Amino acid sequence: MNVIDQRIHQALDGELAAEAVPAELRHAVARLAAAAALLAAPPPGPAASLESRVMAEIRRPAPSRARRVMRWLVTPHSIILRVRPAWSVAFAAVVATLTLFTAGDQGPELGEHEGIAQFVGRFPEAQSVHVVGTFNDWRPGSIALEDQDHDGVWRATVVLPAGTYEYMFVVDGERWVPDHLEERLVADDFGRENSIVIVRPARR
Amino acid sequence: MNVRGAPPDAEVVALVLAGDTEAFGIVIRRYEAGLLRFATRMLGSRDAAADAVAESFVRAYRHLASCREPARLRTWLYRIVTNRCKSHLVRRSVADVPLDDAPPVADPADTEADLERADQLLLVERALADLSPDKREAFVLKHVEGLSYEEMAVVTGERIPTLKMRVHRAREALLKVLEDHA
């Protein structure tokens, strides 16, 4: 901030007579006064009067109260919220808590013969992990696991029709590996071992 | 305000409130130049200023009965226009505020002094546009419209020390720009 001598303000506020302003400050006072005079001068060109426009508007009968309410309801309005940072943090915490509880309560909608399968694999170096199996015809890319906290543990929760499925993980789109955490394994037709997941119906 | 031979504001207000709609034309003719200048400096656009002032006059007419001191009609009108300008500024970001609808085009008949004056005006307008709306409002009310700090307090609803501080900060910012371009 470029603070200027208080006597310049006093002179411009009429609290200090012009002749009482030191010579070295008069130039600044004159500059600011000239700038104000420039802004106060009428703009070039003919000035169009607002009188006819305003008088035409006020001669019209005022709209009914119901019409004004309806117009207000359909017109976009700006809303400005002035919130202290401390309150906004508290508000965000409340919203986050409510969201977590709500999300926990709701869960996925399950049909009568559906259950939840949870796939968990530890792949610290992986860039992507997918699960493929008999439930998606071994099509890579359709069910992705996520490592949200970047601890190398990848997870996916999937709703599947109740049944027994063979599956594998596809790491980085090319490496097929069984689920090492799953003890139930079965040999497939290609000499590899697939993991087994049993999905039980959630409603009995 | 009482121009020689013209009825004072309080009398005009009484006429309008008594049902003489046409008497409101006196109010418009009396104050539109100053209000338009103020709104133009606030919004940086003559078209936007004309809209804001026209809306303000219509609003003033419809709420004229709520003007508690008709003798101070001028400050009441400035207050309405100030609020309309703030609404316009909220509806669009300050970055979008145009300096003016069209830059002045040099006329072959313009003298060197005219061109220098136009350059200087452009510089001051740009410096004014760079101020925050609060500081711009305070500077324009004080130095362009010539209101006293007491009148400014009525117009803006702010305390006099706050307004003085805003005017001081605005002067400092403007002076810096003027000196940088000297």
PDB file of all heavy atoms in Angstrom, chain A residues 39-43 47-51, chain B residues 1 25-41 46 49-50 53 57 74 77-78 81 140 144-145:
ATOM      1  N   LEU A  39     -13.204  12.746 -14.275  1.00  0.00           N
ATOM      2  CA  LEU A  39     -14.294  11.772 -14.092  1.00  0.00           C
ATOM      3  C   LEU A  39     -15.648  12.466 -13.986  1.00  0.00           C
ATOM      4  O   LEU A  39     -16.677  11.892 -14.336  1.00  0.00           O
ATOM      5  CB  LEU A  39     -14.048  10.930 -12.833  1.00  0.00           C
ATOM      6  CG  LEU A  39     -12.845   9.989 -12.883  1.00  0.00           C
ATOM      7  CD1 LEU A  39     -12.545   9.419 -11.503  1.00  0.00           C
ATOM      8  CD2 LEU A  39     -13.097   8.853 -13.884  1.00  0.00           C
ATOM      9  N   ALA A  40     -15.637  13.688 -13.465  1.00  0.00           N
ATOM     10  CA  ALA A  40     -16.900  14.395 -13.267  1.00  0.00           C
ATOM     11  C   ALA A  40     -17.407  15.065 -14.549  1.00  0.00           C
ATOM     12  O   ALA A  40     -18.593  15.396 -14.643  1.00  0.00           O
ATOM     13  CB  ALA A  40     -16.734  15.447 -12.171  1.00  0.00           C
ATOM     14  N   ALA A  41     -16.518  15.246 -15.517  1.00  0.00           N
ATOM     15  CA  ALA A  41     -16.923  15.930 -16.753  1.00  0.00           C
ATOM     16  C   ALA A  41     -17.937  15.075 -17.510  1.00  0.00           C
ATOM     17  O   ALA A  41     -17.825  13.852 -17.534  1.00  0.00           O
ATOM     18  CB  ALA A  41     -15.694  16.174 -17.618  1.00  0.00           C
ATOM     19  N   PRO A  42     -18.944  15.722 -18.121  1.00  0.00           N
ATOM     20  CA  PRO A  42     -19.927  14.932 -18.869  1.00  0.00           C
ATOM     21  C   PRO A  42     -19.268  14.239 -20.054  1.00  0.00           C
ATOM     22  O   PRO A  42     -18.351  14.794 -20.673  1.00  0.00           O
ATOM     23  CB  PRO A  42     -20.952  15.978 -19.330  1.00  0.00           C
ATOM     24  CG  PRO A  42     -20.256  17.278 -19.223  1.00  0.00           C
ATOM     25  CD  PRO A  42     -19.210  17.141 -18.156  1.00  0.00           C
ATOM     26  N   PRO A  43     -19.686  12.999 -20.357  1.00  0.00           N
ATOM     27  CA  PRO A  43     -19.079  12.288 -21.482  1.00  0.00           C
ATOM     28  C   PRO A  43     -19.417  12.970 -22.797  1.00  0.00           C
ATOM     29  O   PRO A  43     -20.447  13.633 -22.900  1.00  0.00           O
ATOM     30  CB  PRO A  43     -19.723  10.894 -21.400  1.00  0.00           C
ATOM     31  CG  PRO A  43     -20.973  11.094 -20.623  1.00  0.00           C
ATOM     32  CD  PRO A  43     -20.754  12.258 -19.715  1.00  0.00           C
ATOM     33  N   ALA A  47     -26.462  13.384 -24.701  1.00  0.00           N
ATOM     34  CA  ALA A  47     -26.928  12.580 -23.568  1.00  0.00           C
ATOM     35  C   ALA A  47     -28.398  12.224 -23.797  1.00  0.00           C
ATOM     36  O   ALA A  47     -29.238  13.095 -23.970  1.00  0.00           O
ATOM     37  CB  ALA A  47     -26.773  13.377 -22.286  1.00  0.00           C
ATOM     38  N   ALA A  48     -28.670  10.931 -23.849  1.00  0.00           N
ATOM     39  CA  ALA A  48     -30.048  10.481 -24.040  1.00  0.00           C
ATOM     40  C   ALA A  48     -30.756  10.497 -22.691  1.00  0.00           C
ATOM     41  O   ALA A  48     -30.303   9.859 -21.742  1.00  0.00           O
ATOM     42  CB  ALA A  48     -30.046   9.078 -24.629  1.00  0.00           C
ATOM     43  N   SER A  49     -31.854  11.243 -22.613  1.00  0.00           N
ATOM     44  CA  SER A  49     -32.569  11.333 -21.347  1.00  0.00           C
ATOM     45  C   SER A  49     -33.347  10.046 -21.072  1.00  0.00           C
ATOM     46  O   SER A  49     -33.847   9.390 -21.987  1.00  0.00           O
ATOM     47  CB  SER A  49     -33.531  12.512 -21.380  1.00  0.00           C
ATOM     48  OG  SER A  49     -34.314  12.497 -20.208  1.00  0.00           O
ATOM     49  N   LEU A  50     -33.406   9.705 -19.807  1.00  0.00           N
ATOM     50  CA  LEU A  50     -34.143   8.514 -19.394  1.00  0.00           C
ATOM     51  C   LEU A  50     -35.605   8.846 -19.110  1.00  0.00           C
ATOM     52  O   LEU A  50     -36.379   7.956 -18.787  1.00  0.00           O
ATOM     53  CB  LEU A  50     -33.513   7.930 -18.124  1.00  0.00           C
ATOM     54  CG  LEU A  50     -32.084   7.427 -18.230  1.00  0.00           C
ATOM     55  CD1 LEU A  50     -31.551   7.070 -16.847  1.00  0.00           C
ATOM     56  CD2 LEU A  50     -32.027   6.198 -19.133  1.00  0.00           C
ATOM     57  N   GLU A  51     -35.965  10.121 -19.216  1.00  0.00           N
ATOM     58  CA  GLU A  51     -37.283  10.532 -18.741  1.00  0.00           C
ATOM     59  C   GLU A  51     -38.433   9.784 -19.430  1.00  0.00           C
ATOM     60  O   GLU A  51     -39.320   9.252 -18.759  1.00  0.00           O
ATOM     61  CB  GLU A  51     -37.466  12.043 -18.925  1.00  0.00           C
ATOM     62  CG  GLU A  51     -38.770  12.522 -18.302  1.00  0.00           C
ATOM     63  CD  GLU A  51     -38.929  14.032 -18.396  1.00  0.00           C
ATOM     64  OE1 GLU A  51     -37.981  14.707 -18.855  1.00  0.00           O
ATOM     65  OE2 GLU A  51     -40.013  14.524 -18.020  1.00  0.00           O
TER      66      GLU A  51
ATOM     67  N   MET B   1     -32.647  20.263  -3.062  1.00  0.00           N
ATOM     68  CA  MET B   1     -32.146  21.099  -4.160  1.00  0.00           C
ATOM     69  C   MET B   1     -33.281  21.988  -4.663  1.00  0.00           C
ATOM     70  O   MET B   1     -34.417  21.579  -4.778  1.00  0.00           O
ATOM     71  CB  MET B   1     -31.658  20.217  -5.308  1.00  0.00           C
ATOM     72  CG  MET B   1     -31.114  20.988  -6.462  1.00  0.00           C
ATOM     73  SD  MET B   1     -30.386  19.864  -7.674  1.00  0.00           S
ATOM     74  CE  MET B   1     -29.897  21.017  -8.916  1.00  0.00           C
ATOM     75  N   GLY B  25     -41.419  13.644 -13.392  1.00  0.00           N
ATOM     76  CA  GLY B  25     -40.493  14.041 -14.454  1.00  0.00           C
ATOM     77  C   GLY B  25     -39.515  15.103 -13.965  1.00  0.00           C
ATOM     78  O   GLY B  25     -38.363  15.155 -14.418  1.00  0.00           O
ATOM     79  N   ILE B  26     -39.970  15.943 -13.032  1.00  0.00           N
ATOM     80  CA  ILE B  26     -39.069  16.973 -12.483  1.00  0.00           C
ATOM     81  C   ILE B  26     -37.907  16.297 -11.739  1.00  0.00           C
ATOM     82  O   ILE B  26     -36.753  16.701 -11.865  1.00  0.00           O
ATOM     83  CB  ILE B  26     -39.851  17.896 -11.508  1.00  0.00           C
ATOM     84  CG1 ILE B  26     -40.979  18.602 -12.260  1.00  0.00           C
ATOM     85  CG2 ILE B  26     -38.926  18.910 -10.849  1.00  0.00           C
ATOM     86  CD1 ILE B  26     -41.938  19.353 -11.355  1.00  0.00           C
ATOM     87  N   VAL B  27     -38.241  15.249 -10.989  1.00  0.00           N
ATOM     88  CA  VAL B  27     -37.202  14.519 -10.242  1.00  0.00           C
ATOM     89  C   VAL B  27     -36.189  13.926 -11.214  1.00  0.00           C
ATOM     90  O   VAL B  27     -34.965  14.024 -11.018  1.00  0.00           O
ATOM     91  CB  VAL B  27     -37.842  13.398  -9.383  1.00  0.00           C
ATOM     92  CG1 VAL B  27     -36.771  12.560  -8.700  1.00  0.00           C
ATOM     93  CG2 VAL B  27     -38.807  13.995  -8.363  1.00  0.00           C
ATOM     94  N   ILE B  28     -36.702  13.347 -12.284  1.00  0.00           N
ATOM     95  CA  ILE B  28     -35.797  12.710 -13.260  1.00  0.00           C
ATOM     96  C   ILE B  28     -34.876  13.755 -13.873  1.00  0.00           C
ATOM     97  O   ILE B  28     -33.651  13.580 -13.907  1.00  0.00           O
ATOM     98  CB  ILE B  28     -36.609  11.990 -14.356  1.00  0.00           C
ATOM     99  CG1 ILE B  28     -37.477  10.895 -13.741  1.00  0.00           C
ATOM    100  CG2 ILE B  28     -35.669  11.395 -15.401  1.00  0.00           C
ATOM    101  CD1 ILE B  28     -38.451  10.265 -14.714  1.00  0.00           C
ATOM    102  N   ARG B  29     -35.469  14.844 -14.354  1.00  0.00           N
ATOM    103  CA  ARG B  29     -34.654  15.867 -15.023  1.00  0.00           C
ATOM    104  C   ARG B  29     -33.636  16.480 -14.054  1.00  0.00           C
ATOM    105  O   ARG B  29     -32.532  16.826 -14.432  1.00  0.00           O
ATOM    106  CB  ARG B  29     -35.560  16.957 -15.583  1.00  0.00           C
ATOM    107  CG  ARG B  29     -36.389  16.499 -16.763  1.00  0.00           C
ATOM    108  CD  ARG B  29     -37.040  17.668 -17.480  1.00  0.00           C
ATOM    109  NE  ARG B  29     -38.055  18.335 -16.675  1.00  0.00           N
ATOM    110  CZ  ARG B  29     -39.319  17.901 -16.549  1.00  0.00           C
ATOM    111  NH1 ARG B  29     -39.712  16.808 -17.171  1.00  0.00           N
ATOM    112  NH2 ARG B  29     -40.190  18.561 -15.818  1.00  0.00           N
ATOM    113  N   ARG B  30     -34.011  16.572 -12.814  1.00  0.00           N
ATOM    114  CA  ARG B  30     -33.147  17.215 -11.831  1.00  0.00           C
ATOM    115  C   ARG B  30     -31.929  16.346 -11.485  1.00  0.00           C
ATOM    116  O   ARG B  30     -30.843  16.851 -11.266  1.00  0.00           O
ATOM    117  CB  ARG B  30     -33.979  17.495 -10.574  1.00  0.00           C
ATOM    118  CG  ARG B  30     -33.309  18.363  -9.559  1.00  0.00           C
ATOM    119  CD  ARG B  30     -34.298  18.788  -8.489  1.00  0.00           C
ATOM    120  NE  ARG B  30     -35.202  19.829  -8.954  1.00  0.00           N
ATOM    121  CZ  ARG B  30     -36.230  20.304  -8.238  1.00  0.00           C
ATOM    122  NH1 ARG B  30     -36.492  19.815  -7.042  1.00  0.00           N
ATOM    123  NH2 ARG B  30     -37.002  21.258  -8.720  1.00  0.00           N
ATOM    124  N   TYR B  31     -32.102  15.050 -11.419  1.00  0.00           N
ATOM    125  CA  TYR B  31     -31.036  14.208 -10.872  1.00  0.00           C
ATOM    126  C   TYR B  31     -30.431  13.189 -11.832  1.00  0.00           C
ATOM    127  O   TYR B  31     -29.451  12.535 -11.489  1.00  0.00           O
ATOM    128  CB  TYR B  31     -31.545  13.470  -9.622  1.00  0.00           C
ATOM    129  CG  TYR B  31     -31.818  14.425  -8.489  1.00  0.00           C
ATOM    130  CD1 TYR B  31     -33.109  14.615  -8.016  1.00  0.00           C
ATOM    131  CD2 TYR B  31     -30.781  15.167  -7.931  1.00  0.00           C
ATOM    132  CE1 TYR B  31     -33.360  15.521  -7.000  1.00  0.00           C
ATOM    133  CE2 TYR B  31     -31.032  16.072  -6.916  1.00  0.00           C
ATOM    134  CZ  TYR B  31     -32.319  16.247  -6.453  1.00  0.00           C
ATOM    135  OH  TYR B  31     -32.563  17.143  -5.453  1.00  0.00           O
ATOM    136  N   GLU B  32     -31.001  13.024 -13.015  1.00  0.00           N
ATOM    137  CA  GLU B  32     -30.505  11.920 -13.850  1.00  0.00           C
ATOM    138  C   GLU B  32     -29.048  12.099 -14.279  1.00  0.00           C
ATOM    139  O   GLU B  32     -28.308  11.113 -14.363  1.00  0.00           O
ATOM    140  CB  GLU B  32     -31.413  11.683 -15.063  1.00  0.00           C
ATOM    141  CG  GLU B  32     -31.290  12.698 -16.160  1.00  0.00           C
ATOM    142  CD  GLU B  32     -32.044  12.249 -17.417  1.00  0.00           C
ATOM    143  OE1 GLU B  32     -32.145  11.029 -17.660  1.00  0.00           O
ATOM    144  OE2 GLU B  32     -32.543  13.122 -18.131  1.00  0.00           O
ATOM    145  N   ALA B  33     -28.627  13.338 -14.550  1.00  0.00           N
ATOM    146  CA  ALA B  33     -27.243  13.517 -15.017  1.00  0.00           C
ATOM    147  C   ALA B  33     -26.243  13.024 -13.970  1.00  0.00           C
ATOM    148  O   ALA B  33     -25.313  12.265 -14.274  1.00  0.00           O
ATOM    149  CB  ALA B  33     -26.990  14.986 -15.355  1.00  0.00           C
ATOM    150  N   GLY B  34     -26.442  13.454 -12.725  1.00  0.00           N
ATOM    151  CA  GLY B  34     -25.522  13.046 -11.653  1.00  0.00           C
ATOM    152  C   GLY B  34     -25.590  11.555 -11.388  1.00  0.00           C
ATOM    153  O   GLY B  34     -24.556  10.891 -11.223  1.00  0.00           O
ATOM    154  N   LEU B  35     -26.807  11.019 -11.369  1.00  0.00           N
ATOM    155  CA  LEU B  35     -26.952   9.588 -11.087  1.00  0.00           C
ATOM    156  C   LEU B  35     -26.348   8.742 -12.206  1.00  0.00           C
ATOM    157  O   LEU B  35     -25.717   7.718 -11.959  1.00  0.00           O
ATOM    158  CB  LEU B  35     -28.428   9.236 -10.885  1.00  0.00           C
ATOM    159  CG  LEU B  35     -29.082   9.868  -9.644  1.00  0.00           C
ATOM    160  CD1 LEU B  35     -30.591   9.630  -9.655  1.00  0.00           C
ATOM    161  CD2 LEU B  35     -28.478   9.315  -8.360  1.00  0.00           C
ATOM    162  N   LEU B  36     -26.537   9.199 -13.447  1.00  0.00           N
ATOM    163  CA  LEU B  36     -25.960   8.464 -14.587  1.00  0.00           C
ATOM    164  C   LEU B  36     -24.433   8.491 -14.536  1.00  0.00           C
ATOM    165  O   LEU B  36     -23.770   7.489 -14.810  1.00  0.00           O
ATOM    166  CB  LEU B  36     -26.425   9.086 -15.906  1.00  0.00           C
ATOM    167  CG  LEU B  36     -27.698   8.499 -16.511  1.00  0.00           C
ATOM    168  CD1 LEU B  36     -28.143   9.334 -17.702  1.00  0.00           C
ATOM    169  CD2 LEU B  36     -27.468   7.051 -16.939  1.00  0.00           C
ATOM    170  N   ARG B  37     -23.904   9.650 -14.191  1.00  0.00           N
ATOM    171  CA  ARG B  37     -22.441   9.768 -14.098  1.00  0.00           C
ATOM    172  C   ARG B  37     -21.918   8.836 -13.009  1.00  0.00           C
ATOM    173  O   ARG B  37     -20.949   8.101 -13.204  1.00  0.00           O
ATOM    174  CB  ARG B  37     -22.095  11.221 -13.780  1.00  0.00           C
ATOM    175  CG  ARG B  37     -20.614  11.519 -13.692  1.00  0.00           C
ATOM    176  CD  ARG B  37     -20.399  12.985 -13.409  1.00  0.00           C
ATOM    177  NE  ARG B  37     -21.191  13.398 -12.238  1.00  0.00           N
ATOM    178  CZ  ARG B  37     -21.668  14.633 -12.066  1.00  0.00           C
ATOM    179  NH1 ARG B  37     -21.461  15.556 -12.963  1.00  0.00           N
ATOM    180  NH2 ARG B  37     -22.356  14.928 -10.983  1.00  0.00           N
ATOM    181  N   PHE B  38     -22.589   8.851 -11.861  1.00  0.00           N
ATOM    182  CA  PHE B  38     -22.170   7.980 -10.754  1.00  0.00           C
ATOM    183  C   PHE B  38     -22.242   6.508 -11.167  1.00  0.00           C
ATOM    184  O   PHE B  38     -21.294   5.737 -10.969  1.00  0.00           O
ATOM    185  CB  PHE B  38     -23.063   8.247  -9.536  1.00  0.00           C
ATOM    186  CG  PHE B  38     -22.896   7.237  -8.442  1.00  0.00           C
ATOM    187  CD1 PHE B  38     -21.720   7.180  -7.714  1.00  0.00           C
ATOM    188  CD2 PHE B  38     -23.897   6.324  -8.142  1.00  0.00           C
ATOM    189  CE1 PHE B  38     -21.552   6.243  -6.703  1.00  0.00           C
ATOM    190  CE2 PHE B  38     -23.739   5.390  -7.143  1.00  0.00           C
ATOM    191  CZ  PHE B  38     -22.555   5.347  -6.422  1.00  0.00           C
ATOM    192  N   ALA B  39     -23.371   6.115 -11.764  1.00  0.00           N
ATOM    193  CA  ALA B  39     -23.539   4.702 -12.141  1.00  0.00           C
ATOM    194  C   ALA B  39     -22.546   4.295 -13.226  1.00  0.00           C
ATOM    195  O   ALA B  39     -22.037   3.174 -13.231  1.00  0.00           O
ATOM    196  CB  ALA B  39     -24.973   4.465 -12.602  1.00  0.00           C
ATOM    197  N   THR B  40     -22.262   5.222 -14.143  1.00  0.00           N
ATOM    198  CA  THR B  40     -21.285   4.914 -15.204  1.00  0.00           C
ATOM    199  C   THR B  40     -19.910   4.661 -14.599  1.00  0.00           C
ATOM    200  O   THR B  40     -19.203   3.728 -14.992  1.00  0.00           O
ATOM    201  CB  THR B  40     -21.193   6.082 -16.208  1.00  0.00           C
ATOM    202  OG1 THR B  40     -22.487   6.332 -16.736  1.00  0.00           O
ATOM    203  CG2 THR B  40     -20.246   5.758 -17.351  1.00  0.00           C
ATOM    204  N   ARG B  41     -19.546   5.481 -13.620  1.00  0.00           N
ATOM    205  CA  ARG B  41     -18.236   5.292 -12.978  1.00  0.00           C
ATOM    206  C   ARG B  41     -18.214   4.004 -12.160  1.00  0.00           C
ATOM    207  O   ARG B  41     -17.178   3.361 -12.025  1.00  0.00           O
ATOM    208  CB  ARG B  41     -17.916   6.485 -12.064  1.00  0.00           C
ATOM    209  CG  ARG B  41     -17.737   7.801 -12.803  1.00  0.00           C
ATOM    210  CD  ARG B  41     -16.698   7.689 -13.876  1.00  0.00           C
ATOM    211  NE  ARG B  41     -16.586   8.879 -14.715  1.00  0.00           N
ATOM    212  CZ  ARG B  41     -16.248   8.840 -15.989  1.00  0.00           C
ATOM    213  NH1 ARG B  41     -16.030   7.676 -16.580  1.00  0.00           N
ATOM    214  NH2 ARG B  41     -16.125   9.941 -16.694  1.00  0.00           N
ATOM    215  N   ARG B  46     -21.867   2.803 -19.977  1.00  0.00           N
ATOM    216  CA  ARG B  46     -22.987   3.752 -20.016  1.00  0.00           C
ATOM    217  C   ARG B  46     -24.330   3.043 -20.166  1.00  0.00           C
ATOM    218  O   ARG B  46     -25.331   3.464 -19.613  1.00  0.00           O
ATOM    219  CB  ARG B  46     -22.791   4.732 -21.181  1.00  0.00           C
ATOM    220  CG  ARG B  46     -21.910   5.902 -20.796  1.00  0.00           C
ATOM    221  CD  ARG B  46     -22.081   7.013 -21.804  1.00  0.00           C
ATOM    222  NE  ARG B  46     -20.860   7.188 -22.564  1.00  0.00           N
ATOM    223  CZ  ARG B  46     -20.740   8.029 -23.579  1.00  0.00           C
ATOM    224  NH1 ARG B  46     -21.768   8.731 -23.963  1.00  0.00           N
ATOM    225  NH2 ARG B  46     -19.606   8.146 -24.220  1.00  0.00           N
ATOM    226  N   ALA B  49     -25.228   1.540 -16.893  1.00  0.00           N
ATOM    227  CA  ALA B  49     -25.578   2.625 -15.975  1.00  0.00           C
ATOM    228  C   ALA B  49     -26.990   3.140 -16.268  1.00  0.00           C
ATOM    229  O   ALA B  49     -27.775   3.393 -15.351  1.00  0.00           O
ATOM    230  CB  ALA B  49     -24.568   3.759 -16.110  1.00  0.00           C
ATOM    231  N   ALA B  50     -27.320   3.283 -17.564  1.00  0.00           N
ATOM    232  CA  ALA B  50     -28.663   3.761 -17.928  1.00  0.00           C
ATOM    233  C   ALA B  50     -29.722   2.794 -17.414  1.00  0.00           C
ATOM    234  O   ALA B  50     -30.761   3.213 -16.882  1.00  0.00           O
ATOM    235  CB  ALA B  50     -28.764   3.923 -19.446  1.00  0.00           C
ATOM    236  N   VAL B  53     -29.965   3.178 -13.566  1.00  0.00           N
ATOM    237  CA  VAL B  53     -30.603   4.425 -13.128  1.00  0.00           C
ATOM    238  C   VAL B  53     -32.098   4.410 -13.470  1.00  0.00           C
ATOM    239  O   VAL B  53     -32.935   4.831 -12.655  1.00  0.00           O
ATOM    240  CB  VAL B  53     -29.886   5.645 -13.757  1.00  0.00           C
ATOM    241  CG1 VAL B  53     -30.633   6.930 -13.449  1.00  0.00           C
ATOM    242  CG2 VAL B  53     -28.460   5.737 -13.235  1.00  0.00           C
ATOM    243  N   PHE B  57     -35.079   4.831 -10.784  1.00  0.00           N
ATOM    244  CA  PHE B  57     -36.150   5.844 -10.805  1.00  0.00           C
ATOM    245  C   PHE B  57     -37.521   5.174 -10.653  1.00  0.00           C
ATOM    246  O   PHE B  57     -38.387   5.670  -9.929  1.00  0.00           O
ATOM    247  CB  PHE B  57     -36.100   6.660 -12.099  1.00  0.00           C
ATOM    248  CG  PHE B  57     -35.163   7.839 -12.038  1.00  0.00           C
ATOM    249  CD1 PHE B  57     -34.216   8.053 -13.028  1.00  0.00           C
ATOM    250  CD2 PHE B  57     -35.244   8.754 -10.997  1.00  0.00           C
ATOM    251  CE1 PHE B  57     -33.360   9.144 -12.978  1.00  0.00           C
ATOM    252  CE2 PHE B  57     -34.391   9.858 -10.932  1.00  0.00           C
ATOM    253  CZ  PHE B  57     -33.446  10.046 -11.925  1.00  0.00           C
ATOM    254  N   ARG B  74     -32.207  13.721  -2.776  1.00  0.00           N
ATOM    255  CA  ARG B  74     -30.990  13.420  -3.548  1.00  0.00           C
ATOM    256  C   ARG B  74     -30.233  12.234  -2.943  1.00  0.00           C
ATOM    257  O   ARG B  74     -29.880  11.284  -3.658  1.00  0.00           O
ATOM    258  CB  ARG B  74     -30.100  14.656  -3.567  1.00  0.00           C
ATOM    259  CG  ARG B  74     -28.788  14.483  -4.292  1.00  0.00           C
ATOM    260  CD  ARG B  74     -28.057  15.825  -4.349  1.00  0.00           C
ATOM    261  NE  ARG B  74     -26.776  15.698  -5.012  1.00  0.00           N
ATOM    262  CZ  ARG B  74     -25.607  15.955  -4.431  1.00  0.00           C
ATOM    263  NH1 ARG B  74     -25.570  16.341  -3.169  1.00  0.00           N
ATOM    264  NH2 ARG B  74     -24.494  15.855  -5.110  1.00  0.00           N
ATOM    265  N   LEU B  77     -32.060   8.994  -3.452  1.00  0.00           N
ATOM    266  CA  LEU B  77     -31.924   8.459  -4.810  1.00  0.00           C
ATOM    267  C   LEU B  77     -30.540   7.825  -5.021  1.00  0.00           C
ATOM    268  O   LEU B  77     -30.414   6.766  -5.638  1.00  0.00           O
ATOM    269  CB  LEU B  77     -32.136   9.575  -5.842  1.00  0.00           C
ATOM    270  CG  LEU B  77     -33.569  10.097  -5.975  1.00  0.00           C
ATOM    271  CD1 LEU B  77     -33.602  11.339  -6.856  1.00  0.00           C
ATOM    272  CD2 LEU B  77     -34.488   9.023  -6.555  1.00  0.00           C
ATOM    273  N   TYR B  78     -29.514   8.492  -4.495  1.00  0.00           N
ATOM    274  CA  TYR B  78     -28.171   7.918  -4.623  1.00  0.00           C
ATOM    275  C   TYR B  78     -28.099   6.559  -3.927  1.00  0.00           C
ATOM    276  O   TYR B  78     -27.432   5.652  -4.382  1.00  0.00           O
ATOM    277  CB  TYR B  78     -27.109   8.865  -4.044  1.00  0.00           C
ATOM    278  CG  TYR B  78     -26.552   9.820  -5.081  1.00  0.00           C
ATOM    279  CD1 TYR B  78     -27.058  11.100  -5.211  1.00  0.00           C
ATOM    280  CD2 TYR B  78     -25.539   9.422  -5.935  1.00  0.00           C
ATOM    281  CE1 TYR B  78     -26.568  11.980  -6.155  1.00  0.00           C
ATOM    282  CE2 TYR B  78     -25.036  10.287  -6.891  1.00  0.00           C
ATOM    283  CZ  TYR B  78     -25.557  11.568  -7.004  1.00  0.00           C
ATOM    284  OH  TYR B  78     -25.069  12.417  -7.968  1.00  0.00           O
ATOM    285  N   VAL B  81     -29.669   4.013  -6.250  1.00  0.00           N
ATOM    286  CA  VAL B  81     -28.791   3.724  -7.393  1.00  0.00           C
ATOM    287  C   VAL B  81     -27.564   2.921  -6.931  1.00  0.00           C
ATOM    288  O   VAL B  81     -27.120   1.993  -7.618  1.00  0.00           O
ATOM    289  CB  VAL B  81     -28.360   5.034  -8.099  1.00  0.00           C
ATOM    290  CG1 VAL B  81     -27.316   4.753  -9.177  1.00  0.00           C
ATOM    291  CG2 VAL B  81     -29.568   5.712  -8.717  1.00  0.00           C
ATOM    292  N   VAL B 140     -15.956   7.979  -5.853  1.00  0.00           N
ATOM    293  CA  VAL B 140     -16.851   8.658  -6.806  1.00  0.00           C
ATOM    294  C   VAL B 140     -17.870   9.525  -6.055  1.00  0.00           C
ATOM    295  O   VAL B 140     -18.141  10.664  -6.456  1.00  0.00           O
ATOM    296  CB  VAL B 140     -17.554   7.622  -7.723  1.00  0.00           C
ATOM    297  CG1 VAL B 140     -18.582   8.298  -8.605  1.00  0.00           C
ATOM    298  CG2 VAL B 140     -16.526   6.913  -8.593  1.00  0.00           C
ATOM    299  N   VAL B 144     -16.420  12.853  -7.298  1.00  0.00           N
ATOM    300  CA  VAL B 144     -17.106  13.092  -8.576  1.00  0.00           C
ATOM    301  C   VAL B 144     -18.482  13.690  -8.316  1.00  0.00           C
ATOM    302  O   VAL B 144     -18.884  14.649  -8.963  1.00  0.00           O
ATOM    303  CB  VAL B 144     -17.215  11.781  -9.386  1.00  0.00           C
ATOM    304  CG1 VAL B 144     -17.916  12.022 -10.716  1.00  0.00           C
ATOM    305  CG2 VAL B 144     -15.823  11.197  -9.621  1.00  0.00           C
ATOM    306  N   GLU B 145     -19.183  13.146  -7.319  1.00  0.00           N
ATOM    307  CA  GLU B 145     -20.528  13.658  -7.019  1.00  0.00           C
ATOM    308  C   GLU B 145     -20.512  14.754  -5.957  1.00  0.00           C
ATOM    309  O   GLU B 145     -21.525  15.418  -5.741  1.00  0.00           O
ATOM    310  CB  GLU B 145     -21.434  12.510  -6.573  1.00  0.00           C
ATOM    311  CG  GLU B 145     -21.592  11.419  -7.624  1.00  0.00           C
ATOM    312  CD  GLU B 145     -21.946  11.978  -8.994  1.00  0.00           C
ATOM    313  OE1 GLU B 145     -22.809  12.875  -9.061  1.00  0.00           O
ATOM    314  OE2 GLU B 145     -21.326  11.565  -9.986  1.00  0.00           O
TER     315      GLU B 145
END
